[in-house]
Amino acid sequence: MSRLIADGGFTPGRIEDIVEKCKIDLEQDILQAGKSALVEIEASDFHVDLPHYVGMLKYRTSYGQNLLQHCLEVAHLSGAMAAEMGLDVRMARRAGLLHDIGKTINRETGGSHVEQGIELGEKLDEDPIVKEVIAEHHEDNERLSPICFIVKAADTISSIRPGGRREDSEEYARRIMRLEEIANSFEGVRDVF
């Protein structure tokens, strides 16, 4: 709309031209965002289509949380936990980044984001650990890789931390009251702020 207003050309042909230019610019931004995220987690070997799917996360939200920011946060938290445990840090970051990749698929195709993520992981020939994380990050099944536990914990931390997701004011007030009750339950606490 901004381009059309600046241009002043509201003819059907001009609208189509601007829409096509915007589509090209959007695809370039998606690819750049995907490449930047992959560089940020130090991913070096990946399918040629992966930057597109990772970049699409920039234009998706879940519970008011930008998915690319969420997945990068999960990637970094997973990497930090893996480092503390002596596990493969790069694999943990990659699995953290890609755990919600199924949310980039059009919902009209059917299936949950987990099912769609599994299919996408197969298509992109991802590592078995990454595919396991995609499949299991919302489940409580037996896992083969400890990285699954790490990513699940990082996903939970990113999702429930204050400010991570949009919440209504009533839920926020209830959470603050619960925190105050917990703090006041300790002997010697006189006031809580």
Side-chain angles (χ1 to χ4, degrees), residues 1-159:
M1 289 304 292
S2 299
R3 289 184 186 183
L4 283 171
I5 292 168
D7 184 52
F10 286 97
T11 64
R14 189 67 187 138
I15 291 170
E16 289 176 13
D17 289 344
I18 296 292
V19 166
E20 285 307 310
K21 288 178 183 174
C22 288
K23 284 180 181 179
I24 291 168
D25 290 349
L26 179 63
E27 184 58 32
Q28 288 174 345
D29 189 55
I30 286 170
L31 285 173
Q32 182 56 45
K35 288 176 183 176
S36 293
L38 290 164
V39 165
E40 187 174 325
I41 66 157
E42 299 178 13
S44 56
D45 185 31
F46 48 82
H47 190 280
V48 68
D49 292 336
L50 187 59
H52 169 78
Y53 288 105
V54 171
M56 285 178 66
L57 291 167
K58 179 179 178 180
Y59 293 95
R60 300 281 198 274
T61 60
S62 181
Y63 300 98
Q65 193 174 30
N66 178 278
L67 278 176
L68 183 56
Q69 292 172 349
H70 164 69
C71 289
L72 280 168
E73 184 173 49
V74 171
H76 290 297
L77 288 167
S78 297
M81 286 187 262
E84 288 293 320
M85 298 175 70
L87 299 172
D88 186 340
V89 172
R90 285 187 176 196
M91 182 59 66
R93 283 189 199 135
R94 185 181 190 113
L97 180 67
L98 300 182
H99 80 282
D100 272 341
I101 199 71
K103 290 184 177 180
T104 64
I105 307 298
N106 189 335
R107 290 285 182 183
E108 294 170 6
T109 60
S112 71
H113 80 275
V114 172
E115 294 165 337
Q116 292 173 339
I118 292 167
E119 288 178 26
L120 191 54
E122 289 290 334
K123 175 185 170 188
L124 300 176
D125 197 32
E126 276 300 323
D127 187 276
I129 292 173
V130 173
K131 290 189 280 192
E132 181 184 14
V133 166
I134 292 169
E136 299 294 331
H137 75 278
H138 286 303
E139 302 298 326
D140 289 321
N141 299 326
E142 187 173 328
R143 293 172 182 86
L144 301 176
S145 171
I147 289 177
C148 276
F149 292 102
I150 288 173
V151 173
K152 187 171 184 173
D155 185 30
T156 301
I157 291 167
S158 176
S159 298

